[in-house]
Amino acid sequence: MLETVNGTGASQGGGRHAVVIGGSLAGLLAAHVLADHAERVTIVERDRLPEGPEARGGVPQSRHTHVLIPGGQDAYDALLPGFTDELMAHGAPRVGAPNDLVQWQGGRWFRRTEETAFFVSPTRPLLEWLVRRRVLANPRIELVEATETVGLVGDASRVRGVLLRERGAAAAAVGREPQRLAADLVVDASGRGSRAGDWLTGIGAEPAAEETLETGLAYATRVYRTGEDGSDDGDVGGHFIVPNPGQTYGAVVMPVESDRWMVTLWGLRGAEPPLDDRGFTEYADRLPHPIVRRWLDAAKADSPALAYRTTANIRRRYDRPGRRPAGFLATGDAQCVFNPIYGQGMTVAAMSALALRDALADGRRTPTTRRVQKAMLDVARQAWDISAGSDKNMPTASGSAARSTLADRVSGWYLGRVEAHAPGDPVVGEVFRDVLYLSAPVSALFAPRIAKAVLFGPVRPTPQEPPLHRETS
């Protein structure tokens, strides 16, 4: 494990102890990895976690559309063998790409050619519950619920634990002082709203520099059911309308377990999807084609519409030099958070846990805090480049990461060529999806056969109207 555990820094009471702040996916998976290296792992969670696959307040985005892309499937299966099959066995739909999707991107409809990849479309509570019950079955892992982390114990050279306070009216009435919990390693998995900057400042250390990119994108989601009198959409397994700088409205229609569908509509702040029945449906009229509006008219709403407005990309650069202590790591959204419309968060949480696992198991190098943190940030780099790289092209982009460099403009020109070819060229489309799904590196887009097609080949024709049926060979 880290130098804070392998040395003389073991917590009092015997045995090496790791504390993970936050019991969501990133925290659970980090705890799962750390349990192979520490005698005890304590997960400190602000909420009381549900016993089943239910949404909770601490994950405000949990009631919105989620997909587990191929890169995520590989990562979860590496950490929790058989997880993807288990998820589908609990009813999460399997959606093939591009054959099951009606997808509009860059002003063109994708051909529905033979499947080259698939993603799984569960509700977030189902996926989180399956991870939680696997991880918490480990006797080395303890969950402390309804408890808030309010600070760190230690100094600028080393973290030695956390300060905790119970949540709830009874605890507040008593007015208890924060309690210390000693630890050899503290992992911040507290999410987008992490207060680690304040915690580090409180022990005389420096917070991480932040890179931010905000577009003002906002969205709303509603659950639907379709019946015998539902939409006649052929053999469509989902709809995806991707916004761009000239067309800033988007939509995703995806199946989830229990024969339900989730519909998410989005636009820029000031033109957010309304939440009333009529307003939500009519908002789909702003999309570049009426196919989603027709789908909504034929389906039956099964929930109220819920809004989500916090979509900025934020990267906290713990890998850069600074006066920061050994024994403190950040993971998941506390490390790097993306605009949720790109569907990367659950995947990067698992990839970060894999990076932690591999760094701790590397017998060739001492797993120092900075080296491990860098490894975890490195695996998030491609997702950041996709999410922030796309968002900085939006007309409302702002923040420290919004400025485009010459390299950005050159790569953006080439990637624009890729995007133009991907809908009609199955070869380019396959690699394009593999990169977006985090199962291939960006360099795959520059392989000779792809570069030749993109730079010198013609842009192949695509359907003029939404393709409601798969192509047959």
Side-chain angles (χ1 to χ4, degrees), residues 416-468:
R417 299 277 300 175
V418 172
E419 187 178 37
H421 282 259
D425 186 331
V427 174
V428 176
E430 177 178 0
V431 178
F432 179 68
R433 281 185 295 277
D434 288 346
V435 171
L436 292 181
Y437 293 164
L438 304 182
S439 56
V442 174
S443 59
L445 294 173
F446 297 86
R449 66 171 183 159
I450 303 301
K452 181 179 179 181
V454 166
L455 295 175
F456 305 110
V459 174
R460 298 189 185 182
T462 58
Q464 295 302 300
E465 289 294 317
L468 297 184

Side-chain angles (χ1 to χ4, degrees), residues 259-279:
D259 296 320
R260 296 169 295 163
W261 292 74
M262 277 192 167
V263 178
T264 298
L265 305 177
W266 60 77
L268 299 180
R269 197 157 294 139
E272 304 96 332
L275 303 182
D276 62 285
D277 291 355
R278 179 176 177 180

